[in-house]
């Protein structure tokens, strides 16, 4: 399939907040790489405006191809999918707009990557399309942004380093968010709230409760794990941890990677995520404060009247997002601590330049699309995770750009 197509990559949703940043990233960083790409969306005038704004800064994109396609129009999705090696989509909420495109990509033999963080959407795609994607050799890769690449590729990097050094992986990896600075867009809020709108669906409730909800149906059940919604103390580092807002999706993606990578993380692999709050009484009090704040926010968005008030008057609307300054000045640092028998055996620190959800996410999604389009990959087709689909080649791409993965052995940690 690859280079017989007219285009390497189509960015679908380029008129939205995240999609524009992905298009900017390609225009800025891949001016001379020869990659053939286009932008797509449901409105031609909006696409023309995006291209004009890009061309004002980067004249080489003045003739960038524009593709009109609508999530509600299967023929337009099929025609778009047939033109490219990879469709990279930022059209969300994915649970609302995404299913038709996954089906169109598999039918056209086109690889796919997205920014979803919606576990119920991923479960539906696994159930409906995994076998067909395997048969077609098509890689459908969800969660190629801040959720869940730092966690998923970070765990992959740590386990590869430990397998190479010791001949065995860590049994247990705990991820701590050490620091982040950034903002949130209306599209992300809409996707988060859509989960609550679907709460009546029994599948949604199961997926939100079961820590192994995204594992293959025939995978052996993993060990019991603590709830990502509770604060806890880590005896290895002495840190208190508060819930991390993205743990619910990241943990499930990492567990799916563990299952798809068949034994490379070990049979009894355990994974969890926390926000680091410090040691002692101060750490415990900070963790309790953040846990209570998150619980209160979740309570407000779970109730339809307060959800309406928040979306109407407080939270950003679709299309809106953080300022240019917030994006440029943003960053993130996370630490993955690998353990065996309760002893730390190695760490990976992941650092990202620019706002995690937008600047760094544009880099991670664009590099995922480039990796799927251009790199020789050995993974099979299927509904995959970043680590299972792209592992080492994606890590190498990110290390050379804005998101770096650094391994240290426990002795020097
Ligand atoms: N994983 C992460 O780290 C991460 C980070 C950022 C964003 N996200 C996710 O990315 C998604 C987009 O976020 P955003 O802030 O960019 O949202 P946004 O600004 O609201 O953009 C949504 C895009 O979808 C398009 N769209 C809506 N309905 C469509 C349809 N029927 N057919 C075709 N296109 C349609 C919109 O087109 P119009 O311009 O024509 O309305 C727009 O281009 C969300 O699901 C968000 O949760 C994830």
């Amino acid at each position: 399939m690859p280079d017989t197509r007219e285009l390497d990559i189509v960015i679908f949703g380029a008129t939205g907040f995240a999609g524009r940043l992905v298009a900017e990233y390609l225009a800025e960083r891949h001016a001379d790489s020869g990659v053939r790409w286009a932008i797509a969306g449901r409105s031609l005038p909006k696409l023309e405006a995006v291209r004009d704004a890009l061309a004002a800064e980067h004249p080489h994109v003045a003739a960038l191809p524009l593709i009109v396609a609508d999530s509600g129009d299967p023929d337009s999705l099929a025609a778009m999918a047939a033109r490219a090696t990879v469709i990279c989509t930022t059209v969300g909420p994915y649970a609302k707009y995404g299913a038709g495109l996954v089906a169109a990509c598999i039918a056209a033999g086109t690889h796919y990557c997205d920014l979803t963080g919606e576990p119920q959407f991923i479960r539906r795609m696994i159930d409906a399309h995994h076998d067909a994607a395997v048969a077609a050799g098509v890689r459908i890769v969800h969660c190629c942004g801040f959720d869940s690449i730092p966690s998923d590729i970070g765990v992959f990097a740590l386990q590869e380093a430990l397998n190479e050094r010791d001949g065995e992986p860590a049994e247990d990896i705990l991820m701590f968010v050490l620091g982040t600075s950034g903002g949130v867009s209306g599209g992300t809020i809409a996707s988060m709230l859509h989960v609550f709108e679907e709460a009546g669906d029994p599948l949604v409730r199961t997926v939100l409760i079961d820590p192994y909800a995204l594992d293959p149906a025939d995978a052996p059940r993993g060990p019991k794990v603590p709830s990502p919604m509770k604060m806890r103390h880590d005896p290895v580092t002495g840190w208190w941890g508060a819930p991390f807002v993205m743990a619910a999706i990241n943990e499930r993606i990492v567990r799916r990677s563990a299952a798809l990578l068949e034994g490379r993380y070990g049979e009894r692999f355990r994974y969890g995520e926390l926000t680091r709050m410090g040691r002692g009484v101060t750490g415990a009090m900070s963790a309790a404060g953040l846990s209570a704040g998150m619980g209160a926010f979740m309570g407000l968005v779970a109730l339809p009247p307060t959800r309406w008030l928040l979306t109407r008057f407080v939270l950003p609307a679709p299309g809106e997002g953080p300022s240019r300054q917030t994006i440029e000045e943003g960053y993130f640092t996370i630490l993955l601590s690998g353990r065996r028998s309760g002893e730390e055996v190695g760490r990976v620190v992941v650092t990202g330049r620019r706002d995690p959800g937008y600047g760094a996410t544009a880099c991670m999604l664009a590099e995922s699309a480039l990796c799927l389009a251009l790199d020789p990959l050995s993974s099979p087709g299927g509904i995959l995770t970043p680590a299972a689909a792209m592992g080492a080649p994606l890590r190498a791409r990110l290390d050379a750009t804005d998101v770096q993965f650094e391994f240290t052995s426990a002795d020097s940690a």
Side-chain angles (χ1 to χ4, degrees):
M1 112 195 62
D3 50 17
T4 57
R5 298 278 167 101
E6 168 200 348
L7 296 162
D8 297 312
I9 296 169
V10 171
I11 303 169
F12 183 43
T15 57
F17 195 81
R20 274 197 305 268
L21 293 172
V22 179
E24 266 178 37
Y25 181 92
L26 283 184
E28 230 172 79
R29 311 278 185 104
H30 289 273
D32 305 317
S33 68
V35 60
R36 301 160 305 157
W37 61 288
I39 56 174
R42 60 182 165 174
S43 152
L44 185 60
K46 276 192 175 181
L47 287 168
E48 286 168 343
V50 170
R51 181 175 62 185
D52 290 350
L54 278 177
E57 296 281 314
H58 311 283
H60 68 279
V61 300
L64 192 68
L66 308 179
I67 299 173
V68 177
D70 192 302
S71 299
D73 173 1
D75 290 345
S76 70
L77 298 178
M80 174 174 71
R83 292 176 66 176
T85 303
V86 175
I87 304 292
C88 165
T89 171
T90 59
V91 173
Y94 293 86
K96 208 165 166 183
Y97 302 124
L101 181 58
V102 171
C105 283
I106 295 168
T110 303
H111 303 305
Y112 163 108
C113 54
D114 73 19
L115 283 185
T116 189
E118 298 150 68
Q120 80 282 20
F121 170 66
I122 301 171
R123 185 70 249 173
R124 288 183 191 128
M125 295 305 99
I126 295 168
D127 292 341
H129 300 300
H130 180 72
D131 293 346
V134 172
V138 169
R139 301 182 181 98
I140 302 290
V141 193
H142 299 302
C143 297
C144 294
F146 185 51
D147 42 328
S148 301
I149 281 187
S151 309
D152 196 36
I153 298 294
V155 167
F156 178 85
L158 180 50
Q159 296 294 46
E160 290 293 281
L162 293 173
N163 276 323
E164 192 178 308
R165 189 192 70 188
D166 305 337
E168 56 177 332
E171 291 161 355
D172 206 331
I173 295 181
L174 191 54
M175 182 275 240
F176 288 99
V177 179
L178 303 186
T180 61
S181 167
V184 67
S185 72
T188 296
I189 296 291
S191 299
M192 193 182 91
L193 298 183
H194 191 70
V195 177
F196 291 96
E197 280 147 28
E198 289 195 298
D201 180 341
L203 175 125
V204 175
R205 287 201 297 274
T206 308
V207 165
L208 295 179
I209 291 166
D210 179 0
Y212 295 95
L214 300 185
D215 278 19
D218 56 355
R221 184 138 186 106
K224 199 166 161 16
V225 288
S227 161
M229 292 311 294
K230 291 196 177 137
M231 63 181 269
R232 64 188 153 116
H233 182 254
D234 173 40
V236 175
T237 55
W239 292 331
W240 281 93
F244 173 46
V245 68
M246 289 173 180
I249 180 66
N250 291 341
E251 291 182 359
R252 286 165 172 76
I253 288 294
V254 169
R255 291 178 195 127
R256 180 165 177 81
S257 294
L260 293 174
L261 290 168
E262 292 175 346
R264 274 155 78 180
Y265 294 2
E267 297 308 321
R268 303 299 297 161
F269 173 68
R270 282 159 47 102
Y271 180 70
E273 299 197 342
L274 292 168
T275 302
R276 179 191 63 174
M277 302 309 297
R279 298 187 172 94
V281 178
T282 322
M285 285 171 62
S286 310
L290 186 56
S291 308
M294 266 182 70
F297 179 73
M298 289 301 175
L300 288 175
V301 295
L303 296 172
T306 39
R307 184 161 73 233
W308 183 84
L309 285 171
L310 284 171
T311 45
R312 180 82 178 76
F313 297 110
V314 181
L315 299 168
E320 295 173 3
S323 68
R324 186 58 63 171
Q325 189 182 1
T326 303
I327 292 175
E328 292 304 327
E329 291 176 356
Y331 67 90
F332 69 86
T333 310
I334 69 168
L335 165 73
L336 295 131
S337 166
R339 289 101 190 259
R340 282 188 218 112
S341 308
E343 298 282 323
E344 189 172 62
V345 290
R347 294 179 166 190
V348 161
V349 173
V350 190
T351 48
R353 280 194 289 276
R354 308 206 292 155
D355 175 303
Y358 300 93
T361 280
C363 162
M364 291 185 268
L365 182 61
E367 294 297 340
S368 299
L370 290 161
C371 186
L372 286 171
L374 306 176
D375 294 351
L377 298 175
S378 55
S379 54
I383 308 292
L384 304 175
T385 60
M390 299 176 280
L394 180 60
R395 185 219 170 152
R397 280 185 169 275
L398 294 172
D399 270 337
T401 54
D402 292 353
V403 179
Q404 269 107 35
F405 300 81
E406 192 189 350
F407 172 72
T408 48
S409 55
D411 298 337
S412 58

